[in-house]
Amino acid sequence: MCKLIKYWLIVIALQFCVSSYAQSPEIKIDLKQEIGTMKPVWAWFGYDEPNYTYMKDGKKLLSEIAALSPVPVYVRTHSLLVTGDGSAALKWGSTNAYTEDNKGNPIYNWRIIDSIFDTYVSRGMKPLAQIGFMPEALSTHPVPYRHYWKPGDPYTDIITGWAYPPKDYNKWRNLVYEWVKHSVERYGQKEVESWYWEVWNEPNGHYWKGTREEFFKMYDYAADGLKKALPTAKIGGINIAGTRGKGAQEWTNDFIKHCISGINYATGKKGSPMDAILFHAKGWPKLVDGTVRMDMAPQLNDIETGFKLTMLYPETKDLPIIIGESDPEGCAACGMATNPENAYRNGIMYSSYTAASFARKYILADQTKANFLGAVSWSFEFENQPWFYGFRDLATNGVDKPVLNVFRMFGMMSGTRLNVVSNRMYPVEDILKSSVRGTQSDIGALASKDSKSAAIMVWNYHDDDKPGPTEIVNLFIENIPSKKASLTIYLIDKENSNSYEVWKKMGSPQNPTQQQIEVLEKSGKLKNISAKKIKIRDNKTVVALKMERQAVALVKLEW
């Protein structure tokens, strides 16, 4: 009897050891297991307020974004045709590109649009140029036109005269024609051919106050004006909201069918130009018992649905797909003071969510075979606003937030994407169902290699903004074609690459001194925590990473 008890105690102990070992984070990367191109799908950004572009902190941030990317970054912004004096405000922008004289004759003024596009092009960036919204003189319902929304107000307060169809479609077409013709004259045909153009934003939501057919008509006239000015220009649509929903899918299918075989409202011919497919994808954080709980599932379901819809049609299955807005939730200008579920935005939770979600975007593209070109992170900066107010932005008052450092890491990844094997990385199918809600965090990686280097991004993510154990992640790298290499480790956590924690330790000043600002700016940069030469034995090496909950690391190996 005693021997039997002893036997079962040994069995239980062995099972416990095996179980514990299985949960110890291990990631394996074989540099010969290539799975595709490391497309820079992350190098796309956007924002509501176009006039921030050429302001002090806007220019500074755009310079940083351009510098971190080895390829041209695409930028999308709303309100490029809205009437007004160019004053910046939350959820508002204007360029006064189109007005009319007292006889109804068009007056074109490209000064503000030029200052926006000049800011991009001078930095090697490219517009994802949004044709919208409706100028006051063309709107079928122009009054009221200018809104004065602020955080806490009903979101629909922003919907005014700019959201309505044109009262004259020929004038609308000619506005687009003149804009594109002017762009070619200013920047050159080759440059403008490299841009993407798209019409409007979320026509199935609040942003469009017309019918579905009126939207298609507006699209046709805009596309006709664009192609008359530059036949090789690239245009797409429709930047639908809530892509996974039944209504959004109906809109998308109807739009695709209209572009393939519908009667073009502007030309009377069959079909309408469609050079890219665009849709939106958003997550849904909530406050649960006073704690922020993220939800990646809606965002990834939007993406999977959009990819699959595009693959349904022979005419669209090879078209480039741009996720026109791809974010943890839907309102960048809603701060955490009015929306406490947005408290994730200042710290490292936003960083780890970004790393973990982008990795799954690649996986979904692989699974559906979609031609995934880019995902626009709808996050920029908000000029002259409180420090760390909780906007969804990349920087606050010119100081970089931790999330921008994830994009700095992406900027160091190029070449070929590699297969990743991790015993703690949630399968994408599980995240599509219920995000990351298990007892253990999601510890995974995204890996790439070039001719003489490899880069591996590792994260320790969980939906719940609660403390979790710091874990040692063992990263096994195989088939390194050298006997020696340089190993550099970059880290984003509470102590590294984190201006927010430094600001809090200062006492959260809303009027920091110049010396404090300099400290904050330095702390906002991506920190290298280790750089050394290593010997490679049997073409292998092991890197041990100390990863706290919500941390993100980049391991760079060069030989």
Side-chain angles (χ1 to χ4, degrees):
M1 185 67 179
C2 291
K3 289 183 178 180
L4 185 62
I5 292 172
K6 186 176 181 181
Y7 169 81
W8 281 112
L9 286 173
I10 293 171
V11 169
I12 292 169
L14 286 171
Q15 287 177 337
F16 176 80
C17 290
V18 170
S19 175
S20 298
Y21 176 78
Q23 298 305 322
S24 179
E26 290 186 358
I27 297 173
K28 296 181 180 179
I29 308 292
D30 185 335
L31 299 191
K32 287 187 176 180
Q33 290 188 5
E34 302 176 359
I35 57 174
T37 303
M38 185 65 201
K39 287 185 178 181
V41 299
W42 50 269
W44 300 69
F45 297 88
Y47 44 100
D48 290 86
E49 301 85 2
N51 306 104
Y52 288 155
T53 303
Y54 48 78
M55 297 177 74
K56 176 176 64 73
D57 291 337
K59 283 185 172 182
K60 179 180 180 181
L61 180 55
L62 285 168
S63 294
E64 290 186 275
I65 294 171
L68 66 81
S69 176
V71 299
V73 172
Y74 281 82
V75 189
R76 176 179 185 251
T77 187
H78 291 335
S79 303
L80 288 172
L81 296 177
V82 168
T83 304
D85 62 5
S87 298
L90 297 178
K91 303 292 292 183
W92 173 260
S94 61
T95 67
N96 226 40
Y98 181 94
T99 54
E100 293 180 355
D101 64 18
N102 55 12
K103 294 183 179 180
N105 297 310
I107 300 171
Y108 304 108
N109 183 345
W110 310 116
R111 181 181 63 85
I112 295 178
I113 284 184
D114 285 348
S115 65
I116 293 168
F117 283 10
D118 286 356
T119 305
Y120 300 155
V121 174
S122 66
R123 288 163 173 76
M125 307 172 106
K126 298 184 181 295
L128 169 51
Q130 185 182 106
I131 301 172
F133 300 119
M134 195 57 60
E136 188 173 13
L138 279 182
S139 175
T140 55
H141 194 289
V143 180
Y145 194 78
R146 171 73 162 92
H147 72 72
Y148 295 90
W149 182 89
K150 63 183 183 302
D153 290 348
Y155 191 82
T156 51
D157 283 2
I158 73 170
I159 309 302
T160 55
W162 57 262
Y164 286 82
K167 63 184 181 183
D168 187 321
Y169 283 89
N170 285 317
K171 286 184 176 179
W172 169 252
R173 168 169 50 194
N174 205 55
L175 166 58
V176 178
Y177 169 80
E178 293 291 344
W179 182 14
V180 178
K181 182 166 76 72
H182 168 79
S183 297
V184 172
E185 291 168 354
R186 188 173 183 85
Y187 304 106
Q189 179 177 328
K190 185 178 179 181
E191 173 62 30
V192 180
E193 283 176 338
S194 69
W195 303 356
Y196 282 89
W197 299 75
E198 47 100 3
V199 180
W200 224 256
N201 179 70
E202 299 185 351
N204 63 325
H206 299 304
Y207 282 76
W208 177 242
K209 300 300 287 185
T211 66
R212 193 174 304 187
E213 289 303 316
E214 284 174 322
F215 178 80
F216 296 162
K217 183 176 181 179
M218 182 181 67
Y219 179 90
D220 289 350
Y221 274 83
D224 191 51
L226 177 130
K227 294 289 186 176
K228 282 182 177 177
L230 182 61
T232 50
K234 296 176 287 192
I235 190 169
I238 56 175
N239 270 311
I240 210 75
T243 308
R244 67 191 183 280
K246 182 179 178 182
Q249 292 178 52
E250 289 174 355
W251 261 89
T252 304
N253 279 310
D254 286 353
F255 172 75
I256 291 173
K257 290 173 183 176
H258 173 77
C259 290
I260 292 172
S261 58
I263 301 302
N264 188 302
Y265 285 98
T267 67
K269 298 178 182 179
K270 178 182 174 181
S272 195
M274 179 176 49
D275 304 303
I277 295 290
L278 299 97
F279 58 85
H280 290 182
K282 304 285 186 177
W284 193 7
K286 298 181 184 69
L287 207 63
V288 179
D289 297 327
T291 299
V292 174
R293 170 173 285 177
M294 306 298 285
D295 193 352
M296 203 181 293
Q299 184 182 4
L300 296 187
N301 276 285
D302 280 343
I303 293 170
E304 183 184 50
T305 301
F307 286 171
K308 287 182 175 179
L309 281 173
T310 304
M311 300 306 292
L312 285 176
Y313 302 88
E315 297 86 350
T316 62
K317 68 181 182 65
D318 294 323
L319 287 182
I321 295 173
I322 302 166
I323 308 172
E325 296 178 23
S326 188
D327 305 290
E329 37 65 42
C331 179
C334 299
M336 62 187 185
T338 54
N339 297 74
E341 70 277 9
N342 292 339
Y344 75 89
R345 293 170 167 181
N346 286 328
I348 58 175
M349 194 172 200
Y350 192 7
S351 308
S352 58
Y353 181 102
T354 299
S357 61
F358 262 96
R360 272 58 184 221
K361 295 173 194 179
Y362 284 104
I363 293 171
L364 291 173
D366 291 342
Q367 290 180 349
T368 59
K369 303 188 185 306
N371 181 13
F372 180 26
L373 183 64
V376 178
S377 295
W378 203 252
S379 49
F380 186 52
E381 66 98 17
F382 293 84
E383 205 89 15
N384 301 318
Q385 297 293 331
W387 286 80
F388 294 99
Y389 183 76
F391 292 123
R392 191 174 68 239
D393 49 12
L394 304 173
T396 175
N397 291 280
V399 170
D400 300 338
K401 288 185 174 183
V403 66
L404 185 58
N405 286 314
V406 172
F407 293 102
R408 288 191 169 104
M409 290 177 172
F410 281 134
M412 289 188 273
M413 304 182 75
S414 60
T416 304
R417 201 156 36 88
L418 301 170
N419 186 49
V420 172
V421 178
S422 171
N423 65 349
R424 287 277 298 276
M425 186 168 173
Y426 282 51
V428 70
E429 293 78 15
D430 290 355
I431 298 183
L432 286 166
K433 292 177 184 176
S434 56
S435 196
V436 180
R437 302 284 169 80
T439 55
Q440 292 188 321
S441 57
D442 175 55
I443 299 179
L446 180 68
S448 68
K449 76 162 187 180
D450 235 322
S451 58
K452 293 185 178 181
S453 67
I456 302 160
M457 180 186 290
V458 182
W459 59 84
N460 181 0
Y461 170 76
H462 199 279
D463 276 354
D464 291 331
D465 190 16
K466 295 179 178 179
T470 296
E471 301 192 59
I472 302 300
V473 181
N474 286 310
L475 178 60
F476 297 87
I477 308 172
E478 301 179 358
N479 282 311
I480 303 167
S482 180
K483 292 184 178 180
K484 56 183 179 179
S486 297
L487 175 68
T488 308
I489 300 173
Y490 302 87
L491 185 62
I492 306 168
D493 63 11
K494 285 187 177 180
E495 300 298 325
N496 299 284
S497 316
N498 192 335
S499 60
Y500 181 53
E501 290 296 327
V502 173
W503 179 73
K504 287 195 296 182
K505 289 176 182 176
M506 288 178 175
S508 306
Q510 279 302 327
N511 295 290
T513 65
Q514 184 57 41
Q515 185 178 9
Q516 287 176 317
I517 291 172
E518 290 173 2
V519 172
L520 290 170
E521 286 181 333
K522 185 178 180 180
S523 66
K525 304 304 181 186
L526 180 61
K527 187 175 179 181
N528 159 356
I529 65 161
S530 176
K532 60 183 179 181
K533 304 285 187 181
I534 61 170
K535 292 181 179 180
I536 308 297
R537 292 183 174 84
D538 300 322
N539 303 111
K540 301 177 184 179
T541 194
V542 181
V543 181
L545 299 170
K546 189 176 181 181
M547 301 280 292
E548 65 185 47
R549 184 68 59 91
Q550 312 299 1
V552 184
L554 183 81
V555 175
K556 185 83 174 184
L557 200 63
E558 298 172 283
W559 55 85

